[in-house]
Amino acid sequence: LDLNGFDLVGVPGSLDGVAVTPLNLVNINVRNGSVRSWGGNGINLLDAATSATNVSDIVASQNAGGGIKMGFGGTITRCTCYNNTGFGIAGASGTVITECASNTNGSHGITTGSGCTISRNTVRSNVGDGINFFNQCLVLNNTCSLNGNGAGDGAGIHATVGGSDNRIEGNNSTG
């Protein structure tokens, strides 16, 4: 789905901006545009157990759910998520998230399952953690600042309880 630079705008009572409902689809690509003001998530490629999907060059903002929700083994590149009521970016196990910005969201800036690569992202002023992940992840060269914003109790980078075998290197976490 190439949005060709267009903006998909939700209305009161709407659900997700872009969602996949048939189960177990593969090779879905969403790119080049924005999704905002939806009653659910901006983009939801997780709930239908999709895999090998790609989201790139998307702005997801002001959604009542999260910004971008990715299925197993997906890739999220050069996306910006801000002012979503929930998370900015959520990835299932095996997700690769690179060169994204996730700011001022109502939960974590970036959150993933196991075996993910999270690199060269900027996360700032999210209510929850800047980057939150489980185990066997690579978390490299990210910038995390002022997370745990407002009443939140977030860390810049948080390897969750039970998480192990992570490599966390070259990050800058402040505030």
Side-chain angles (χ1 to χ4, degrees):
L1 173 61
D2 188 342
L3 298 176
N4 286 317
F6 284 95
D7 186 20
L8 299 179
V9 181
V11 297
S14 61
L15 301 173
D16 295 333
V18 175
V20 175
T21 54
L23 293 177
N24 302 314
L25 295 176
V26 297
N27 297 327
I28 296 171
N29 296 288
V30 182
R31 63 185 174 157
N32 191 25
S34 64
V35 289
R36 66 181 167 90
S37 302
W38 290 90
N41 300 299
I43 296 176
N44 183 352
L45 301 180
L46 176 62
D47 290 350
T50 59
S51 61
T53 55
N54 177 50
V55 175
S56 60
D57 303 303
I58 291 289
V59 175
S61 64
Q62 302 169 347
N63 297 294
I68 300 171
K69 194 173 182 182
M70 177 59 70
F72 301 95
T75 302
I76 303 170
T77 309
R78 295 178 311 278
C79 293
T80 301
C81 297
Y82 66 94
N83 291 347
N84 296 291
T85 301
F87 57 83
I89 298 171
S93 296
T95 301
V96 176
I97 303 168
T98 57
E99 299 176 3
C100 294
S102 188
N103 305 310
T104 60
N105 296 292
S107 182
H108 305 310
I110 296 174
T111 184
T112 70
S114 301
C116 296
T117 299
I118 305 163
S119 66
R120 299 184 319 272
N121 301 288
T122 300
V123 291
R124 181 178 171 83
S125 298
N126 296 288
V127 173
D129 300 326
I131 299 173
N132 177 288
F133 53 95
F134 192 57
N135 59 17
Q136 301 166 343
C137 293
L138 296 174
V139 181
L140 309 171
N141 302 315
N142 299 284
T143 301
C144 308
S145 59
L146 303 173
N147 294 288
N149 187 26
D153 184 21
I157 297 172
H158 183 188
T160 59
V161 174
S164 60
D165 301 322
N166 294 300
R167 179 175 171 192
I168 305 166
E169 184 177 302
N171 298 284
N172 184 26
S173 182
T174 61

